[in-house]
Structures are given as C-alpha cells and as structure tokens.
Amino acid sequence: MVNLKEEQLFKLVEQGVKGNANAFMLLCRRMISDLKKNDEVLASKLAQLIMDTNVIRGASNSPKPVPVDGDSRRSLLQEASISGLTEEPIWNEDIAKKLNAIVKERENVEPLLKAGLEPVKTVLLSGPPGVGKTMSAHWLASKLNLPLLTLDLSTVMSSLLGKTGNNIKSVMDYAKESPCILLLDEFDAVAKRRDDDRDVGELKRLVTVLLQTIDEWPTTSLLVAATNHPDILDPAVWRRFEHVLNFGNPSAPLIEKYLKSQGVSLPLSERLSLLLEGVSFAIISRLINFSKKNEVLSNASFEGSLIESAITECGHNKDGKYNELLILQFYLEGNSNRKIAESVGLSHPTVSKILKEWGVK
C-alpha cells in the first residue's frame, strides 16, 4: 500500500493546476524518492513517466515564436541544431574529464531520477577569449543531440535596464519550453558584483532576478554560462553552478597535438608548439587557416607560411629563441644556409642543425 501525505498530494495537484512545471517536477521527484522505499516498481514507472517531455513541459502543437527585442524587433537568440562537429576539440585532462561527466549525467537521467536525484543543470565556463568555451557548448549540444540557443548578454544590455530584464526573461522563458542547451555568453555583462557602488540599483535587482531564474532552471535542459572576466562576477553566482570549468591558454603538448591534427609534420609541430605556447587555440586556428589559403592561392608552402605567420604573431615574445627565429626568417626568404650562417654569425653546421630540428631541411 502506497502512503502519500495529504499535504504532499495537495501541493502536487496545486502546482499541476497552476501549470508551474518546475515546482511540479520538484515535487514529483521528492515523491518518487519517498515511494522508492516501499514500492520500487511504481517509483520506476513514475520516473519513466516524468521523463516524457510532453508531460514535463506541457508542450503544445504551437511552439512559441523566438523572442525579439521590443524596439528593434531583432531576434534575441541564435538557434542552431548541431548534428556533429567537423573535428574533435582538444582540451586538457581536467576539462575533458568534467565535460564527459556532464554528458554521462545527462545521458543517464532515468537512474538518477529513480534515486531522487537530478542530472547537472548548470555549468559555468570561465577563461580568456579563444580557449574553447563556446566550442565546449557546441560539443555538449552535439553529444547530447540538443539544439543550442545562444544569448550574448552584452548585446541585450540597455540604458533602460527594465527593458534588459524583460528581454532576458523572455529568452529564459522561451528556452524552458523544450529541451535545449542555453548558452549565456558574456555572462559578466549582467552578473556583476552587487556591491559595486558604480552600478545602479536596477542592475543589482537584475542580477537578483537572473540568479532566481538559474535556481528555477528545469532538469530537461542545460544552462551554460561563459565569462571572460570571472573576477567581476557576483559571489552568489558561483554557488548557482554545479560545474565550473576554468579554461586557460593551451600548453605546448596540447598545441602540438592540435597542429598534428591539422596536418603539420611531426618535427615542425613539436618545435612550433614551443613557439606558440600560451597562444589561444582561436589564434592558432587563424594562422593555420591563413596558411592553407596561402598554399592554394599563392602556391606557397603550407608549413613555410605557417612558420612565417607564427613568427609574425609571437616571435617578438620569444627573445630566448631569437637566433632560431632569425635563421628561419632568412631561410623562408630564400637564403642559402651559408648566407644565413654569415648573417647570424653562426657556423654552417649549426644553421643546418637548427633547420633540421624545425623540420624544414
């Protein structure tokens, strides 16, 4: 015999009648957890039932239109369906481990719900530009087969903060309608410290509303926030996110792995990774793309163009390798080894050795 408390049943029906899907789901999960102690079969059936998105969302046959700005009528969201990625991203071990853990939880919702638990719902990505934060959101959408909705918070900020609040609320409400990944880019544009005296009270209230919305985020979707400036985030923000992934510029071994995946030869990828250490993947990708185009349009060597681009990009920061870079530069200009040796004041065998190490001779 299943025993439900009168108060528990009343609250469940009340929230269902009001159409409050989030509160209804929370009460269902609590009830399932209690039932599991006495009737595991029924608990399992109910857990399976609430996984049905039509039940969870109360979906209708007429989906809501994509939210737009009230004045400009421009769409507030970029919506994309990502079926697969052209290449597998390269992350350090810690980032890869956390991302795979998120996917594992989202792919195993049923056993978690049966145990009265929820899969991860909120993730914060922190780090400088170009290190893979947006790529991570795309990767999650691809792995979980969910549409990716992107809101750049810096673009919806307005001098009329009440309007900004309405825009954010309409986006969040839209994203709750069906399973998705919602990416809040430039998260720090809104979620600033509320103790900053330079900010007006309306912005502080906006932060409070945003935090409350995160607290109410439904289990069926994943909320991902990305920031380049974690130092200005409100302290209360950090507690709202179940996973925080701190990205940094790639190490030399990761860069070497990436260069190899782009067709750069072993000797060159090894040496070039040392030159490019500390440079973001976004910049490295740009250099590779330029070099590939140069090979097609100018009949130039891909690897030669890549070396030259890398030297231009960051050679000035590698004073300890000045001679090596100077030798490479002379070589790329078509000078002979003997001429290069005379120019840099080194022996001919030394120049040949350095070029061999770079894989260009």
Side-chain angles (χ1 to χ4, degrees), residues 215-356:
D215 287 338
E216 298 168 356
W217 190 252
T219 305
T220 46
S221 295
L222 184 63
L223 176 66
V224 179
T227 178
N228 298 334
H229 305 286
D231 51 305
I232 66 174
L233 291 181
D234 190 280
V237 165
W238 301 95
R239 299 194 298 271
R240 261 64 183 195
F241 290 91
E242 298 156 271
H243 282 280
V244 177
L245 279 65
N246 294 307
F247 290 75
N249 284 321
S251 63
L254 285 180
I255 293 174
E256 182 181 346
K257 185 177 180 181
Y258 178 66
L259 291 174
K260 288 177 183 175
S261 73
Q262 297 299 310
V264 180
S265 63
L266 177 59
L268 180 57
S269 60
E270 185 178 2
R271 302 293 294 180
L272 204 55
S273 65
L274 299 175
L275 174 62
L276 294 170
E277 186 170 18
V279 176
S280 72
F281 276 131
I283 292 177
I284 297 171
S285 177
R286 187 186 73 205
L287 298 180
I288 289 173
N289 194 41
F290 167 79
S291 301
K292 287 181 176 179
K293 289 180 179 179
N294 202 35
E295 182 180 33
V296 173
L297 300 177
S298 302
N299 199 29
S301 161
F302 162 63
E303 293 193 342
S305 294
L306 182 57
I307 292 171
E308 193 166 4
S309 299
I311 291 173
T312 302
E313 181 67 37
C314 57
H316 58 283
N317 292 325
K318 303 291 179 178
D319 293 336
K321 291 185 175 295
Y322 178 76
N323 273 342
E324 283 192 26
L325 300 180
L326 196 59
I327 288 169
L328 277 170
Q329 192 69 56
F330 281 133
Y331 171 80
L332 293 170
E333 290 172 358
N335 292 287
S336 68
N337 288 9
R338 190 170 301 279
K339 178 66 175 177
I340 296 172
E342 292 174 0
S343 300
V344 299
L346 295 174
S347 67
H348 183 280
T350 300
V351 169
S352 298
K353 180 175 178 289
I354 290 173
L355 290 174
K356 184 176 181 181

Side-chain angles (χ1 to χ4, degrees), residues 104-306:
K104 185 175 182 179
E105 284 192 37
R106 300 297 307 184
E107 289 180 337
N108 293 275
V109 175
E110 185 176 356
L112 291 176
L113 292 178
K114 285 180 180 178
L117 302 170
E118 293 183 338
V120 57
K121 299 186 297 182
T122 55
V123 179
L124 178 63
L125 311 177
S126 171
V131 293
K133 299 189 299 296
T134 303
M135 175 63 75
S136 296
H138 281 74
W139 184 85
L140 287 168
S142 175
K143 291 294 181 182
L144 297 172
N145 195 28
L146 289 173
L148 177 65
L149 310 181
T150 302
L151 170 65
D152 186 339
L153 286 168
S154 65
T155 64
V156 300
M157 287 297 291
S158 166
S159 57
L160 302 174
L161 292 176
K163 173 186 170 185
T164 299
N166 289 336
N167 282 344
I168 292 175
K169 186 178 184 303
S170 65
V171 166
M172 302 293 267
D173 287 344
Y174 174 82
K176 289 178 181 179
E177 286 295 307
S178 59
C180 68
I181 291 179
L182 175 62
L183 173 61
L184 301 179
D185 208 3
E186 302 290 346
F187 189 58
D188 45 87
V190 173
K192 295 180 180 179
R193 290 176 177 270
R194 284 170 289 183
D195 58 3
D196 190 340
D197 294 333
R198 294 172 296 177
D199 287 331
V200 296
E202 184 64 28
L203 181 56
K204 295 176 182 179
R205 286 190 289 273
L206 181 59
V207 174
T208 301
V209 170
L210 182 60
L211 295 179
Q212 290 172 345
T213 305
I214 295 173
D215 287 338
E216 298 168 356
W217 190 252
T219 305
T220 46
S221 295
L222 184 63
L223 176 66
V224 179
T227 178
N228 298 334
H229 305 286
D231 51 305
I232 66 174
L233 291 181
D234 190 280
V237 165
W238 301 95
R239 299 194 298 271
R240 261 64 183 195
F241 290 91
E242 298 156 271
H243 282 280
V244 177
L245 279 65
N246 294 307
F247 290 75
N249 284 321
S251 63
L254 285 180
I255 293 174
E256 182 181 346
K257 185 177 180 181
Y258 178 66
L259 291 174
K260 288 177 183 175
S261 73
Q262 297 299 310
V264 180
S265 63
L266 177 59
L268 180 57
S269 60
E270 185 178 2
R271 302 293 294 180
L272 204 55
S273 65
L274 299 175
L275 174 62
L276 294 170
E277 186 170 18
V279 176
S280 72
F281 276 131
I283 292 177
I284 297 171
S285 177
R286 187 186 73 205
L287 298 180
I288 289 173
N289 194 41
F290 167 79
S291 301
K292 287 181 176 179
K293 289 180 179 179
N294 202 35
E295 182 180 33
V296 173
L297 300 177
S298 302
N299 199 29
S301 161
F302 162 63
E303 293 193 342
S305 294
L306 182 57

